[in-house]
Amino acid sequence: MAAACVSKVELSISCSNLLDKDVGSKSDPLCVLLQSVGDDKWSEVERTERVKNCQDPNFSTKLHIDYHFEKVQKLKFGIYDIDNKSVDLKDDDFLGGFECTLGQIVSSRKLTRPLQLKAAKPAGKGTITLTADEVKDNRAVVMEVEAKNLDKKDMFGKSDPFLEFFKQEEDGKWQLVHRTEVIKNNLNPSWKKFTVSLHTFCSGDLNKPIKVTCYDKDENTSSDMIGEFTCTAAKLMEAKDNAIEFDCIHPEKQKKKKSYKNSGVIRIKYCKLEAQYSFLDYVMGGCQINFTVGIDFTGSNGDPRSPDSLHYLNPNGVNQYLSAIWSVGQVVQDYDSDKLFPAFGFGAQVPPNFQVSHEFPLNFNPKSPYCEGVQGIVEAYRMVLPQIRLYGPTNFSPIINHVARIAAGVAQQPNAAQYFVLLIITDGEITDLDQTRQSIVNSSKLPMSVIIVGVGEADFKAMEFLDGDSGVLKSVTGEPVARDIVQFVPFKQFANAPKEALAQSVLAEVPNQLVSYFKMRNMAPVNPPSPVK
């Protein structure tokens, strides 16, 4: 499933020392934001207001843009001196521009850069400062509820109660916002604690009417209502420190019987607002994403000198391994400040003694396996190909354990400062499946994700099994993963797709995986966002 990690980013923009184009007065600047739509074409997203007579404008209009982690979103900011009423900017003086990616802005949170009139030509001393904030109310309602002495609805056993929560829409209709689990055969049930975003629960309005209905689940017919009550979200919040109780009323019974009191009592044990942090909160709050690459150099890939080998470099110097490194690396590199990426090979015989290694540094430097930027990984790969002998077996666990050791060191620190993404590119014939399952179960408790890109035409059943999308992955001893951390993508599905498509599919789950780890550890971002007013 694709991550629902589209969020809106709000950009605040200011400039200083703009060029002065007006005779007798200062420029009247405005900032326009353009987004690349590919092929050197740009479309306008939004523009700020025009600030009169000012060389150091601080624009009050914020610019908004949809953010997708898994894409490289190229942006261009242009500052213009507006001297007329036309919307077209072609007849206005250009005071300078700046190009970057949205990933660069959100990972820095605040960015100041020189303006340029054209490539390598600075616009005087002019600079632009961009500050990013995520647009959202990140609060959620966390609630724990139980009930006492509910009516018995079933002839032979007790009721099987569950609750439904509704908010009232503007038109008076009730919209379901949460349903609890069913508790079998129990007139005094206690339901699991649950969390619903404040927006979903009451549209952010604590005075909205909320209706809570208790039903008896019936497998064969529709569920019977036991009773209900209505109040406001604010009233439920009174259960912050002490539980509050509501009579659970069945309207028909109330009409029939004068002495009717209730069909049980619903007790809100706990209800309060808590911040729910998003992927952007962590990234903007200073979390670095460390990107490591593992490359499969086993014999099943075929001899790199032969054109039908997966490691064969075509006349353009490219193959599926390099394409995968490029497309995923392009996105991830914006989130790693030092751009030094450890890269390893496995399953080859390595010089000088040609012993088989399952985690050798691509640059042959065990003390410092880092490559500079994605380009550095590509160069190391091209350099190492002619020097090694493809061999086997295909063992994943050594390289997963290698990254896990580093991640385990970081996990000792009590802050959300680092997360690890391991990209394994393989032709898929895995040999150590049991050890790999154990490695993944162990890693699922650490700040890391494993992405497997399968190249070639092999049978990838083992990879799909590791992905766990068809059921929870367990170790051989039956221990389940603490959270889902593996994403498997077969390269051949993207043979004819645009080059961005692979990265989008590969990285789609990373934001949720990162958030799920820090949530599991109960860690807020290093610099949390300021609370919503």
Side-chain angles (χ1 to χ4, degrees):
M1 61 158 230
C5 215
V6 187
S7 34
K8 277 215 180 294
V9 169
E10 179 175 272
L11 299 173
S12 305
I13 297 167
S14 62
C15 299
S16 58
N17 299 314
L18 291 179
L19 291 171
D20 201 358
K21 293 281 186 172
D22 287 2
V23 183
S25 70
K26 295 192 171 74
S27 298
D28 304 329
L30 153 161
C31 177
V32 62
L33 167 60
L34 308 167
Q35 183 168 11
S36 166
V37 287
D39 300 331
D40 212 26
K41 292 195 182 67
W42 298 82
S43 74
E44 178 172 330
V45 180
E46 246 186 319
R47 54 177 78 179
T48 64
E49 82 281 14
R50 156 189 173 202
V51 178
K52 283 202 148 172
N53 284 337
C54 184
Q55 282 172 288
D56 305 297
N58 190 353
F59 298 103
S60 68
T61 307
K62 312 289 186 207
L63 303 183
H64 297 95
I65 188 161
D66 284 338
Y67 165 83
H68 304 262
F69 163 71
E70 68 281 7
K71 294 185 185 168
V72 176
Q73 293 174 265
K74 289 192 184 135
L75 306 181
K76 188 149 72 170
F77 295 85
I79 309 293
Y80 289 87
D81 176 15
I82 307 293
D83 284 331
N84 53 33
K85 296 222 166 23
S86 78
V87 174
D88 192 357
L89 297 169
K90 290 193 183 67
D91 54 5
D92 297 297
D93 286 324
F94 181 56
L95 302 177
F98 168 60
E99 275 184 48
C100 65
T101 67
L102 187 51
Q104 284 163 335
I105 304 173
V106 300
S107 60
S108 329
R109 189 101 186 244
K110 187 171 184 178
L111 201 63
T112 300
R113 291 288 184 271
L115 289 166
Q116 297 189 325
L117 289 170
K118 48 178 190 270
K121 187 178 178 205
K125 294 196 180 86
T127 63
I128 184 167
T129 297
L130 309 165
T131 309
D133 285 292
E134 187 174 3
V135 184
K136 63 172 181 40
D137 183 336
N138 70 347
R139 293 171 302 172
V141 176
V142 182
M143 200 179 321
E144 208 173 340
V145 187
E146 60 187 12
K148 295 270 184 283
N149 308 321
L150 293 174
D151 281 1
K152 174 172 170 299
K153 288 281 187 182
D154 295 351
M155 268 174 50
F156 300 111
K158 299 186 176 120
S159 301
D160 303 328
F162 68 96
L163 298 177
E164 287 189 341
F165 289 75
F166 302 84
K167 67 179 171 190
Q168 192 167 27
E169 293 292 359
E170 300 307 318
D171 58 7
K173 292 201 177 88
W174 294 99
Q175 189 189 8
L176 180 66
V177 294
H178 182 71
R179 179 184 292 121
T180 67
E181 75 280 16
V182 174
I183 294 186
K184 288 265 165 96
N185 219 5
N186 193 332
L187 300 179
N188 299 291
S190 187
W191 290 277
K192 282 195 198 95
K193 190 167 164 183
F194 64 88
T195 304
V196 185
S197 85
L198 184 65
H199 178 75
T200 303
F201 191 74
C202 59
S203 310
D205 175 4
L206 292 176
N207 296 317
K208 228 185 213 330
I210 302 288
K211 181 169 77 174
V212 183
T213 308
C214 184
Y215 294 95
D216 169 32
K217 176 76 176 161
D218 199 325
E219 291 309 327
N220 308 321
T221 58
S222 63
S223 300
D224 287 334
M225 179 164 118
I226 296 175
E228 63 186 11
F229 70 88
T230 305
C231 67
T232 60
K235 180 74 188 157
L236 294 171
M237 296 287 160
E238 289 174 17
K240 214 169 31 221
D241 308 309
N242 301 310
I244 53 173
E245 297 187 344
F246 295 88
D247 284 333
C248 186
I249 302 291
H250 193 296
E252 297 301 313
K253 286 191 170 180
Q254 197 176 28
K255 272 192 208 134
K256 282 186 191 146
K257 258 188 174 167
K258 286 250 178 351
S259 62
Y260 173 78
K261 200 165 143 236
N262 61 36
S263 296
V265 170
I266 293 183
R267 192 163 176 264
I268 312 289
K269 287 190 353 199
Y270 171 94
C271 177
K272 71 180 231 196
L273 283 180
E274 286 182 9
Q276 297 287 314
Y277 295 113
S278 68
F279 174 71
L280 272 187
D281 289 331
Y282 286 106
V283 169
M284 291 171 147
C287 185
Q288 292 288 319
I289 297 178
N290 302 290
F291 179 50
T292 304
V293 182
I295 297 176
D296 179 342
F297 289 110
T298 52
S300 49
N301 282 282
D303 180 349
R305 289 170 299 210
S306 147
D308 52 12
S309 163
L310 290 167
H311 280 296
Y312 176 72
L313 293 173
N314 68 19
N316 303 334
V318 183
N319 59 28
Q320 291 187 10
Y321 278 91
L322 285 177
S323 300
I325 292 169
W326 260 124
S327 67
V328 178
Q330 287 292 97
V331 174
V332 177
Q333 67 178 356
D334 280 341
Y335 300 87
D336 187 321
S337 56
D338 65 11
K339 312 266 184 283
L340 291 174
F341 303 123
F344 300 91
F346 58 91
Q349 294 175 316
V350 182
N353 310 333
F354 290 97
Q355 250 133 344
V356 176
S357 169
H358 294 292
E359 44 165 329
F360 62 91
L362 274 196
N363 62 6
F364 290 151
N365 179 353
K367 285 202 183 69
S368 177
Y370 302 97
C371 301
E372 280 195 30
V374 183
Q375 185 60 41
I377 304 175
V378 170
E379 285 161 10
Y381 169 83
R382 288 185 175 141
M383 178 204 79
V384 75
L385 256 187
Q387 303 184 51
I388 55 174
R389 297 180 193 150
L390 271 56
Y391 205 70
T394 308
N395 292 351
F396 278 20
S397 57
I399 187 144
I400 296 175
N401 293 342
H402 179 103
V403 176
R405 281 193 297 276
I406 305 168
V410 165
Q412 303 302 314
Q413 299 162 4
N415 61 13
Q418 294 192 63
Y419 192 84
F420 295 81
V421 174
L422 167 61
L423 171 67
I424 298 178
I425 312 174
T426 177
D427 71 344
E429 304 287 345
I430 185 169
T431 323
D432 66 338
L433 188 58
D434 290 353
Q435 291 88 333
T436 295
R437 282 162 68 182
Q438 186 63 55
S439 298
I440 289 169
V441 168
N442 298 348
S443 300
S444 68
K445 303 171 195 134
L446 298 170
M448 67 182 275
S449 293
V450 179
I451 290 167
I452 304 171
V453 174
V455 293
E457 297 299 320
D459 168 17
F460 288 119
K461 284 212 172 47
M463 302 299 130
E464 283 156 11
F465 168 72
L466 293 175
D467 189 330
D469 280 353
S470 50
V472 176
L473 178 72
K474 295 184 171 132
S475 70
V476 183
T477 56
E479 185 190 355
V481 286
R483 51 193 189 90
D484 176 20
I485 63 164
V486 179
Q487 169 77 336
F488 167 71
V489 178
F491 192 88
K492 62 174 177 232
Q493 286 180 2
F494 296 90
N496 304 315
K499 59 182 188 305
E500 297 79 31
L502 175 70
Q504 285 175 37
S505 178
V506 164
L507 295 169
E509 292 183 18
V510 169
N512 291 346
Q513 290 171 356
L514 179 146
V515 170
S516 74
Y517 172 76
F518 292 124
K519 197 168 174 179
M520 178 176 86
R521 293 282 313 271
N522 219 347
M523 285 181 175
V526 182
N527 299 305
S530 46
V532 180
K533 304 290 179 288

